[in-house]
Amino acid sequence: EPNTKDLATNLAACVVDNPELAEEVFSLLQPQSDAARGSSEAEFDAAVIECLLARLHAKSSSRVVVKNLTESVNTILKARGEIFEYSPEDVGRRLVVAVQRPEGPLMLCAAR
């Protein structure tokens, strides 16, 4: 499935002799691009939360390595059709330093 930028570029190429019309193509597709970006961000946030909750419920460790969490997030998103692969830095930006739980805080660690 082409992204909105590719679609706009291809459509604008059809009207290359008319810069005003080419610009109009981009402006008409901007709301669609913004909506797609917002939807993608929501999917990403949901996958991060889903992976964190799974690790919290597993109770196998009080530590979550961000690199491992990122691998799980990317696996979930790929299964849902996402083609972009997130980095540990992307996931780390979404996380809180420690998550409180009854058994004690869950420590989130950067990969070593």
Side-chain angles (χ1 to χ4, degrees), residues 92-104:
R93 287 185 200 105
R94 291 294 208 275
L95 300 175
V96 182
V97 175
V99 177
Q100 293 296 324
R101 60 185 188 159
E103 302 85 36

Side-chain angles (χ1 to χ4, degrees), residues 19-98:
E20 289 177 11
L21 188 54
E23 183 61 37
E24 187 68 19
V25 167
F26 284 101
S27 65
L28 287 172
L29 290 173
Q30 188 61 47
Q32 179 180 336
S33 178
D34 293 344
R37 190 177 307 113
S39 175
S40 180
E41 290 292 313
E43 285 288 325
F44 174 56
D45 289 343
V48 170
I49 292 168
E50 187 176 337
C51 291
L52 272 176
L53 288 174
R55 291 175 192 275
L56 283 169
H57 289 293
K59 298 180 185 176
S60 58
S61 174
S62 63
R63 296 173 50 163
V64 173
V65 177
V66 175
K67 181 181 178 189
N68 297 344
L69 184 67
T70 302
E71 291 169 1
S72 297
V73 167
N74 283 324
T75 298
I76 286 173
L77 291 173
K78 185 175 181 179
R80 294 178 182 163
E82 176 65 64
I83 57 172
F84 183 80
E85 190 164 303
Y86 291 92
S87 70
E89 292 80 13
D90 296 324
V91 172
R93 287 185 200 105
R94 291 294 208 275
L95 300 175
V96 182
V97 175

